[in-house]
Every structure is written in C-alpha cells, then in structure tokens.
Amino acid sequence: MLSSDQLSPKWDCLLGCKGLEDKEGPWGGGSGLPPPDYFPGSWRLDVGLDCKGSPEGAEARAWTAYYYSLLQSCLQQAGLPETQDRSQVPRTGCPGAEVTLCILGSPSTFLSVLLEGGVQSPGNMLLCLSPAWLTKVPAPGRPGEAALLVSKAVSFHPGGLSFLDDFVPQRQATYFLVGLGPGPGQGREAAELARDLTCPTGASAELARLLEDRLLTRLLLAQRGGVAVPATLAFAYKPPALLRGGAGGPGLRLVELSGREGQETLVKEEVGAFLHSEALGDALQVAIKLSSWRWRGQQALRLHPRAEVGTVADTVVALLEKLEEEESVLVEAVCPPARLPSPGNPPPGPELAMRICAVVCRTQGDRPLLSKVVCAVGRGNRPLRHQNSLPRTLEVALAQCGLGEAAQVAAVRRSVKTAAEAALAAVLALEAGLSVEQRGGRLAGTDFLGECGGPGRRLGTSAGGHGRGRSALSPRPAPGPGVDFALTVAGGALTPVALELNSGLCLEACGALEGLWAAPRSGPATEEAVAAAPLVETMLRRSARCLMEGKQLLVVGGGSVSKKFVWEAARDYGLKLHLVESDPNHFASQLVQTFIHFDVTEHRRDEENARLLAELELGLPCSPPAAMRLAKQKSRTQLHLLRCQGPPWPSPSLHAVPCCPLESEADVERAVRQVPLPGVMKLEFGAGAVGVRLVEDALQCHQHFSRIARDLQGEADHPGIGLGWGNSMLLMEFIEGTEHDVDLVLFRGKLLAAFVSDNGPTRLPGFTETAACMPSGLAPEQAAQLVQAAFRCCLGCGLLDGVFNVELKLTGAGPRLIEINPRMGGFYLRDWILELYGVDLLLAAAMVACGLRPAVPPHPRASGYLVGVTGLVSQHLQVLRSTASQEALQALHDRGLVRFNQFTSLEEAQVPGEYEEPYCSVACAGPSPAEARLRLLGLCQGLGIDGPHYPVAHFLSHFK
C-alpha cells in the first residue's frame, strides 16, 4: 500500500543499479551476463558496436549487443525502421560548435526522449549503449572539470530514423543524461562519467543518493513543497546534516538515536505515542521500512496492524541493528483506500487498483511543468506495475475505478498537477542550496521527475497483500527519480499523498501510451502531446547556455531602458559583451566587458564605418548588408516583394502592399495618384509607430508630410526611433484586417521557430499599439498562413540568418505585410516569448551571431496565455504617478500578479501625443485568452488605466 518497491522487474536494469552485484549486468555491478536474447526480429547483428581505442571485455560486449537488440525491438514495436549502420564512414561535424545531447542508458526507458530529440534537434540526440563509447578529458582553464567526448553513438532523426555513427573527431557533449546509481562495477564508471562536467547533466550519483533517502525526501516534500505525505515516525542513527536538529513537519517526527542498541524503551514509548496519535487518521495498518540509498530495492516491506504496538516496536528494534550512519527506520501510516459512493450498483468483479504516473520537467526559469499523466489499472489484491498493466489516460483509469464525472476528474488532474510540480520545485530548491561537491558538479541538476503513483484499492492504495507481518522482497527498480502518490480522501476531497521520491518507469509508460497513437490504426487520428517534449526543450536550452558561455559579442548601440534585459541576460549566460555607444554616460557602460565611446547616431555613415567589418564577416552566418538595407527601408521592402512573382508558389508578392516613397512635396502629389486612399503615411526608418497616420485624402497627405518634415528632422528631435537614417516617408495602401506580429528564428535559410501574437485595435488616426495577446487566438490554419507569409517575405528580401519581427495584417484575402523589422521584436515580445515558451530570442540571436544553430524546439508549446495593454503618458500620466506607478507595477510583477515591461523612463516619454511611444505594458496571464482578458480588465479598472478616453474593454475585444 505504500511503495512500488515490490513492483519493479528484476530484469530491467539500467546504469548503476546497486544492490544487484550478484544478479545484474555490468551497469548495475557484478559479473552477470545479460538476459537471454529473447527479442524476436530480423534486424542485422553484424554491426560495428566496437569502439576504436576503447576495447571492451566479453561481458561488456555482450551487454552492448543486448542493448542494441533491445533498441531494435523497441523501434520495431513502434513501427519504426531498423537502425542503419554507417559507422564505417565516420561523421566529421564541427566539434565544440554543435548541440550534442547524449544519453547513456536503456533504450526502452529513454526511447520517447530519443525520438523527440530527433525531431527537435535532428542528428544531435545521441544514445550511447556502453560507457566505453564515451571519454572524459580535462577541460583547459577549468580546474577540476572535464569535457565529455562521444566516440560512438546511435543518432536520431525525424521520422524515427536512427543511425549507428562513429565521430572523428569526437563530439563534445553539451548535455548528458544518465540513468545511474552509486553502485560498484561499471555503475561507478557511469557515475564518474557524469561527475564534474563542463556540460549540464540531468543526473548525478550524489543527487541520486539524496533523492533515494525516503526520510529526507519525505521531509523535503512536506516542508518545502507543501505536499501531503503519510504520517511518519523515523528513528535515525547519526542522521545526515540535512536532517539534524529535530527536523519535522505535519505528521512527521524524527527521533535521533545515540546508538543502534539499547534503545528498546525509547522505541516502545515513541511507537506507542505515534500509533495512538490522531495524525494517523483512519489508517488501520502501518508499514516499517529502512530508509537510505544503500537499502534501495533490497529490503522487505513489513505491514502490521496499527493495534500491535509491541510487534511494531520489536520490528523497529530488530531493524535498528542493520543501520549505518545517516540511515533510518520508518514507521508510516498506510493510507486507507478512498471509497466513493456509486450512483448505481457497484461495478462487478474485484476492486481495481490504480497507479498514477506523472512526468514533470524543469522549464525556463527553473519552473516545474507537468508534462503528462499516465495510469495503470489492475486488481486491487495483486501487485501492480507498469509491466503487467497497459498504460491508460487518467480519464480512462478513473472511469474504470468508478469515477467518471468530468468535474471530479478535472479536480483530480489539478491536484496531481499541483502536487507533482510542487515536488519538483522542492527538489530544485534543495539543490540550489547544495555545494558543487554535494551536487556532483557545477552544472549537475535534476531536470525531470518521472513520478510513479502507488497502487491503490478502488481509488486508494494497496501493497498487493495484507496480514500480520506480511513482507515482499523488492528488487531494485529502474533509475530515474519519481514520486509515489496515493489517492486518499482528505477534507471530503480526493487528495494525492506523496509517499516517497523513488525510481520509476514513467517515461517508458508514457512512451507506450503515445505509441498507441503512433501505430497504424483504424478510426480518426488523435493528437497526443509527447511527454518528453519539455525535457528535450530543457536539454536544448541548457545546451545553448553551455555553447555560449564565454562567447564574445560586439554590440553597436546600447539602446534605452527597455533594452536593459540584454545586459542582465548576457551576465546570466556568461557572455562577454563589447559595447560601441555614442553616449559616454550610458547606463550599460559599467555592465560590459569593454566600452567603446564612438558616435554611431549618424546612420548615413554606417556604410563607411562598417565596410571593413561587413567585408570580413569572419565566416559567420549573417544576413547580407544588402538584405538588411532592403528590409530596413519600408518602401523598398514592399516594392521589392511586389516584383517577387516567380516560383516557387505562393510567392512573396501575394503579401506585399502597394506603396510609394516620399522625399518631397512633389512625391506626395504623385503618390496620391498611384496609391489608393485611404492610406497610411509613415517614416521610412521609423519605429514604435511614431509619426504613422491614417490619411483620407490628398490634403491630409500634404499636411502630414509637412508636419513631419518640420517636427522630426533628426535624431535629436526624437531619439531612438530611427531618425538617424533620415526623415523620408512613404504612403502605402490602408489594409483592413486584424494586426499580428510574427517573430521568427532563421538559420541558414531554415525556419527554426515562429511565434504569433495578436494586436488589439489602434486608436485611429494614429497607430500606436494598445493591446496584445499571445499565443494567437487565430485558428491554426490562419496562424500557419501568417508564419509562412512572414517566412516567405524574409526569404524574399534575402534575410537568411537571425531573429526577425514581421508585422502583418490578416485580411479576407490572406496575410498582408505591414513591415519587416530585421531584428528581434521590441517592447514586451522577448519577455513574453521567454515566459510562455521558454525560448529566449536574445540567446537565439546571439547564437546566430556566433555561427551556432540556435537550440530552439521546432514546435514550442505555450504554458498559457498573456493579454496585455500599453500605458501612454498622454492618457495615464496621473495614474502613472500614483496607483500605477513604476514601483506599484513592479511590486505586482514581483508577486506574479502581472507582467510589467517598461519601455522608457517617465520623463523621456513625455513628448507630444502625436509622436509618443508606449511607456509600458501591463499584462495578465491565464489558461485561456478570455480568462486573462477578464483579469487584465479588472486590474486596469482598479488601477485607473481604463477610462472613457482609453477604453480597455474595446482594445481587448479582439481576444474574446
């Protein structure tokens, strides 16, 4: 009723399975050979599994061949092609300059991660079937740390394709994940490979020891995570430092012992008080077990009736003799099964047990995210494990157990999500306070928990057997930290109770469930999320940090306060920035490696100043200067794309809008005859919608041209909007439709990622932004049309490498281009994308500048929705100095109630309303656009941002 210890199969051993020295293979210690080759299949076995320079003994070769056959069996069952051996022609690659995600472990456990890695980063997800395929070498300039080099691996590609590859020269890992435990034999070799690496690691032997101590993790979940755990009495002999000082929690008591013998009186008193306490609730039984990594998977689980105080005390005393330092004996309440009233007759047959498994991953900002929930169902009076029950969704499993009401199922899912994410948050908080030695390396950290819920009777739990002194010897479970959950009734509601962090097979179970939708079948297709997707995204994100640490970049122009995130992020990523800036007192001058004072405000001399740099280019990917000039000037962009009418179809000309450049009054007269009115007049090189205006007739065109020529002549008239390139204008046709931003990541002409957001209606006749929503609320087909239109327009202009922002309108005839910003999107866009998708456009742009393919997932999933409104000084000066001051909004941001992005200082924003830019953005999050919109509307009404002259409800009307 308490754990899945007795539920794991003996044969499924991964790296470092301890306690099986006489039974398991080399990765678990001992000298055993692998199980007999029972995999039925017709794949080739005469493949190059030997690694040059690292010969293996006969035993090790047998295990390598075993895992290769296991991989082929997994691929066969998934309907995927056999691995192709191309090791005779080594891959050359670019060692040290490419993402290399390396996994050392069982193919069956990590198959879903490997396949997803092949989709997100083709050819860069590598599976090593033997420690001999890896080499650890000292890292220059980093004492005590080492680089991990890959000589041989199975690489994964889209479509489930896999190849057995040799690498000459060796590839350097940028992320390492190993299923391990601190055991003897090659388990120790695997643990040593993961220790003190220069690349991020998703596991270490040191962290495994901590997470496998039942007492430590139970206290961790209760104290730091606020997760419900069973009432527990612990007796510890010289407990570890993390537990000393009488640590406890709700229903938890730790008794520190001075010795292992002569403790009978103390034990009997403590056991008696515990068994008679109200903390046990309705529990009728208690379980007794040893707690430490050393006993993981080797002990007998003993169950006793709660009333047998003497027997329980005697059992504890007997177990105390087995303790070593930092180990403990636990007496814990058995959570009673949750019995729910059935509306009709109870279902026929024996009571069913349910095991809940959840995969929760570390995402951007070290935030936990529940990725997937999968369940197993079986008879309540038998042991239940993944291998003897087909995986099911939570909804199906609960229905089989008698709970089918949608609201109740949703409540259970929410409670599991809350508990699972709180468990990982508690683990991450613990790790943040550990030393490098305690973690097993500077970059070692837990990136996911594959959580395994304990078996249950009905909706409760079961040990698979009852009775006095009943025990079940538990083999070593497969590695990979998890949480055992029991569902019990607390306060009238079903509550997940975390029994322990332990090892599980949740990724494997999730992969099996996902395989149901991947295999050929009859009936309609069902879209299923991939459990491993967030984990692979985290691997890529941490790899990007690894690749960029110490890189040096030259930045021309420091920007305003809205770009302060550049300097903060650079410090966080370990980048070394060299800044060229016109203002000798710029705030960023003290935040960079080198500050070069140089006047770059006169952009008419850019060609002269940058010619040498543009000619050299250092062989790094970048968009050609001609393409940047074409995209920078708005009329040239549109006119060029209008001429791009050749194949392939659809051509960029479909998205271009008629326009005419304006240099003089005569040009205005000519333009009104060529461009249909009403039209839009704007600065050729403008930004922030400054000077953009709807014009109805020729008279308004002449008036606006004269006004701009008078008011905005150079950079000093309105710094930061592009007047250094001049104040020429253009007239373009006004297009009806909804406005959208598309932020793209391109590398060598390939679209790596795209993010679509919706904009609210502007305050005509001006076009200053009022509101926005991300992700887009458009139908998937329409959002895809916008992405493809933006991509085609960039390619049409020759923009092949970089991060670009494309503004479009979606009309009845399809997407139409407003303009291309050949740079990262401004205002809140980088922050929102980082918050929702975990993708940093700044880091992507920096990687392109360094000639590295940005490590971004091709189809990132948003964690929710953000809906925001802009604040304008002309409309909100009073509230910006009171209820919505910078300090007040920042305080709300720090509490997680809003997303606050400030674009400029309040003083700098006080310009004539006709030429103003937004001062800030205030956004609210929600699981749907409607909920986020309602939260934001209430906030704006409370702060005074909403009003008769600034109707927030109208600006948010597009996001219903």
Side-chain angles (χ1 to χ4, degrees):
M1 296 177 79
L2 288 170
S3 90
S4 59
D5 282 356
Q6 71 271 29
L7 307 180
S8 300
K10 292 185 179 180
W11 61 266
D12 192 2
C13 178
L14 298 181
L15 301 175
C17 298
K18 55 186 175 294
L20 301 176
E21 292 87 347
D22 299 326
K23 305 173 186 177
E24 300 292 348
W27 288 2
S31 58
L33 290 171
D37 188 359
Y38 66 90
F39 307 115
S42 58
W43 49 81
R44 294 182 55 185
L45 296 177
D46 57 335
V47 293
L49 297 179
D50 290 333
C51 187
K52 299 180 179 64
S54 299
E56 294 182 299
E59 246 176 54
R61 287 199 304 273
W63 276 98
T64 303
Y66 169 82
Y67 282 115
Y68 182 81
S69 288
L70 175 58
L71 171 62
Q72 303 317 306
S73 180
C74 293
L75 294 174
Q76 180 188 64
Q77 294 185 42
L80 299 174
E82 174 185 347
T83 299
Q84 299 180 39
D85 184 4
R86 56 183 189 186
S87 59
Q88 301 305 315
V89 182
R91 307 290 101 186
T92 54
C94 305
E98 55 195 350
V99 168
T100 301
L101 312 176
C102 181
I103 292 180
L104 177 62
S106 167
S108 60
T109 297
F110 292 107
L111 183 66
S112 61
V113 182
L114 297 165
L115 295 177
E116 178 64 18
V119 172
Q120 293 198 26
S121 190
N124 297 324
M125 175 62 80
L126 307 180
L127 171 65
C128 289
L129 301 175
S130 168
W133 293 8
L134 294 159
T135 306
K136 195 173 179 182
V137 297
R142 297 185 181 179
E145 293 188 351
L148 187 65
L149 305 181
V150 185
S151 301
K152 179 187 286 288
V154 178
S155 62
F156 288 80
H157 299 257
L161 297 178
S162 59
F163 301 90
L164 181 61
D165 288 325
D166 276 10
F167 302 104
V168 179
Q170 297 166 296
R171 288 185 67 159
Q172 182 171 335
T174 59
Y175 184 94
F176 186 48
L177 179 61
V178 57
L180 51 74
Q186 290 191 22
R188 290 179 179 171
E189 183 180 350
E192 180 55 36
L193 283 172
R195 184 176 292 113
D196 294 322
L197 295 177
T198 56
C199 71
T201 58
S204 71
E206 288 75 9
L207 293 178
R209 285 195 176 199
L210 291 176
L211 297 181
E212 289 177 351
D213 187 318
R214 290 184 176 91
L215 176 57
L216 173 61
T217 53
R218 182 159 296 178
L219 290 169
L220 175 68
L221 296 184
Q223 293 176 339
R224 298 196 184 188
V227 180
V229 298
T232 303
L233 172 65
F235 296 92
Y237 172 59
K238 295 184 178 180
L242 292 171
L243 292 176
R244 291 172 190 162
L252 302 178
R253 174 165 173 75
L254 171 61
V255 179
E256 297 186 25
L257 303 176
S258 58
R260 289 171 291 192
E261 299 177 353
Q263 305 292 327
E264 292 83 355
T265 302
L266 174 62
V267 168
K268 190 167 185 177
E269 291 176 355
E270 291 286 351
V271 167
F274 176 72
L275 295 181
H276 290 95
S277 69
E278 295 182 357
L280 273 72
D282 298 330
L284 300 178
Q285 288 183 306
V286 292
I288 308 171
K289 59 178 70 172
L290 291 164
S291 172
S292 84
W293 66 267
R294 188 170 69 95
W295 290 101
R296 194 64 165 179
Q298 300 184 73
Q299 61 168 306
L301 173 66
R302 295 171 173 85
L303 298 178
H304 295 278
R306 176 179 176 181
E308 296 184 349
V309 178
T311 304
V312 173
D314 291 342
T315 304
V316 171
V317 170
L319 289 177
L320 288 179
E321 298 178 1
K322 301 178 180 292
L323 289 188
E324 295 182 0
E325 292 186 10
E326 301 190 348
E327 297 183 345
S328 57
V329 176
L330 305 184
V331 181
E332 61 184 34
V334 173
C335 297
R339 301 180 182 274
L340 298 180
S342 300
N345 295 326
E351 285 190 317
L352 294 178
M354 186 177 70
R355 183 179 184 182
I356 298 178
C357 305
V359 175
V360 58
C361 301
R362 180 211 302 251
T363 59
Q364 175 66 34
D366 290 341
R367 290 175 297 183
L369 173 67
L370 179 67
S371 175
K372 193 153 193 156
V373 176
V374 63
C375 303
V377 175
R379 295 182 61 171
N381 59 352
R382 296 180 180 177
L384 178 62
R385 60 190 184 196
H386 290 300
Q387 285 74 18
N388 64 14
S389 177
L390 292 174
R392 296 161 172 82
T393 62
L394 178 65
E395 289 74 14
V396 169
L398 289 173
Q400 287 185 268
C401 294
L403 184 65
E405 204 277 322
Q408 289 181 307
V409 173
V412 172
R413 180 175 288 277
R414 285 194 299 271
S415 62
V416 170
K417 174 181 173 65
T418 299
E421 293 180 348
L424 180 55
V427 170
L428 298 181
L430 171 69
E431 292 179 1
L434 299 178
S435 66
V436 171
E437 292 74 20
Q438 288 173 315
R439 291 198 306 271
R442 178 174 58 94
L443 300 177
T446 300
D447 285 335
F448 78 100
L449 296 178
E451 305 183 355
C452 297
R457 300 193 60 187
R458 189 84 167 160
L459 292 178
T461 55
S462 169
H466 301 273
R468 183 174 303 177
R470 176 74 179 266
S471 67
L473 186 63
S474 54
R476 169 71 180 173
V483 177
D484 277 348
F485 278 128
L487 276 176
T488 189
V489 174
L494 281 172
T495 302
V497 177
L499 302 173
E500 57 190 347
L501 291 183
N502 70 4
S503 303
L505 301 171
C506 295
L507 280 176
E508 192 165 352
C510 290
L513 181 63
E514 292 159 4
L516 295 175
W517 315 115
R521 62 194 183 278
S522 60
T526 304
E527 183 178 353
E528 284 286 310
V530 178
L535 173 58
V536 175
E537 291 174 13
T538 296
M539 291 177 170
L540 290 171
R541 187 179 304 114
R542 296 188 71 189
S543 288
R545 286 176 170 267
C546 176
L547 286 169
M548 293 301 291
E549 187 176 8
K551 289 289 190 296
Q552 304 193 45
L553 292 93
L554 178 68
V555 179
V556 180
S560 65
V561 66
S562 66
K563 298 298 186 293
K564 66 179 181 179
F565 67 82
V566 172
W567 323 110
E568 297 168 353
R571 183 171 57 248
D572 182 41
Y573 291 133
L575 301 174
K576 297 180 179 179
L577 298 187
H578 308 275
L579 174 62
V580 177
E581 167 58 39
S582 307
D583 180 6
N585 300 313
H586 195 279
F587 71 88
S589 62
Q590 304 300 315
L591 305 176
V592 294
Q593 191 83 4
T594 306
F595 180 74
I596 304 172
H597 178 220
F598 185 82
D599 187 6
V600 293
T601 58
E602 181 49 74
H603 295 292
R604 294 180 179 89
R605 300 183 61 185
D606 282 353
E607 191 86 13
E608 175 187 347
N609 293 334
R611 184 177 296 115
L612 181 59
L613 179 62
E615 289 174 356
L616 291 176
E617 287 184 11
L618 301 178
L620 298 177
C622 65
S623 296
M628 297 295 288
R629 286 194 297 268
L630 183 62
K632 183 66 180 175
Q633 188 170 354
K634 298 177 177 61
S635 66
R636 290 188 63 191
T637 304
Q638 299 282 6
L639 294 174
H640 172 79
L641 293 177
L642 283 170
R643 294 191 292 269
C644 295
Q645 299 181 358
W649 185 87
S651 65
S653 62
L654 289 176
H655 312 300
V657 178
C659 67
C660 187
L662 308 175
E663 295 282 352
S664 65
E665 288 283 353
D667 293 333
V668 176
E669 192 63 36
R670 174 173 51 84
V672 297
R673 295 193 298 269
Q674 296 179 0
V675 178
L677 295 178
V680 179
M681 291 185 68
K682 59 174 68 176
L683 289 164
E684 284 275 23
F685 304 98
V690 175
V692 183
R693 189 174 182 85
L694 178 70
V695 287
E696 303 280 354
D697 51 37
L699 177 60
Q700 290 185 7
C701 291
H702 283 283
Q703 290 174 340
H704 190 58
F705 182 85
S706 298
R707 189 180 303 114
I708 294 296
R710 180 188 69 242
D711 297 341
L712 302 178
Q713 297 181 10
E715 184 73 16
D717 295 324
H718 202 307
I721 67 163
L723 290 173
W725 280 279
N727 67 343
S728 57
M729 302 187 72
L730 74 149
L731 173 66
M732 63 184 296
E733 182 181 355
F734 175 69
I735 302 298
E736 293 282 358
T738 56
E739 189 170 334
H740 308 269
D741 278 72
V742 181
D743 290 272
L744 306 172
V745 180
L746 273 62
F747 187 70
R748 295 175 178 168
K750 294 182 179 180
L751 177 61
L752 301 187
F755 307 91
V756 182
S757 54
D758 303 334
N759 291 339
T762 59
R763 300 170 66 239
L764 296 176
F767 287 85
T768 302
E769 184 174 319
T770 59
C773 175
M774 182 184 286
S776 172
L778 294 172
E781 178 181 342
Q782 293 175 309
Q785 287 180 346
L786 288 170
V787 171
Q788 288 302 313
F791 182 38
R792 281 192 287 266
C793 289
C794 286
L795 292 183
C797 290
L799 299 173
L800 306 178
D801 294 277
V803 176
F804 308 115
N805 170 259
V806 183
E807 300 176 29
L808 303 109
K809 276 195 172 182
L810 184 60
T811 73
R816 292 294 183 268
L817 177 67
I818 299 175
E819 62 190 45
I820 298 176
N821 296 307
R823 51 162 171 78
M824 181 175 57
F827 291 163
Y828 50 82
L829 286 170
R830 180 258 182 180
D831 178 61
W832 281 21
I833 292 170
L834 185 61
E835 171 72 14
L836 291 173
Y837 296 95
V839 174
D840 191 347
L841 294 185
L842 172 64
L843 180 59
M847 293 187 74
V848 173
C850 292
L852 301 174
R853 178 188 173 102
V856 297
H859 304 290
R861 299 178 299 172
S863 59
Y865 287 84
L866 281 171
V867 174
V869 65
T870 56
L872 301 176
V873 170
S874 63
Q875 303 296 318
H876 304 119
L877 182 58
Q878 183 175 349
V879 297
L880 291 175
R881 287 175 170 170
S882 55
T883 55
S885 66
Q886 176 186 347
E887 293 75 17
L889 293 174
Q890 187 62 50
L892 292 172
H893 176 95
D894 294 340
R895 292 169 57 192
L897 300 177
V898 303
R899 298 296 302 180
F900 171 56
N901 296 95
Q902 184 179 356
F903 308 142
T904 185
S905 67
L906 195 59
E907 293 71 23
E908 292 174 335
Q910 296 184 43
V911 299
E914 186 175 0
Y915 302 130
E916 75 174 331
E917 298 177 86
Y919 162 71
C920 69
S921 168
V922 180
C924 286
S928 68
E931 187 166 337
R933 184 182 71 87
L934 289 175
R935 290 178 183 174
L936 179 62
L937 183 58
L939 179 78
C940 290
Q941 291 170 346
L943 293 177
I945 296 175
D946 180 43
H949 300 290
Y950 203 79
V952 172
H954 169 65
F955 299 145
L956 303 181
S957 60
H958 286 183
F959 314 139
K960 288 184 179 179

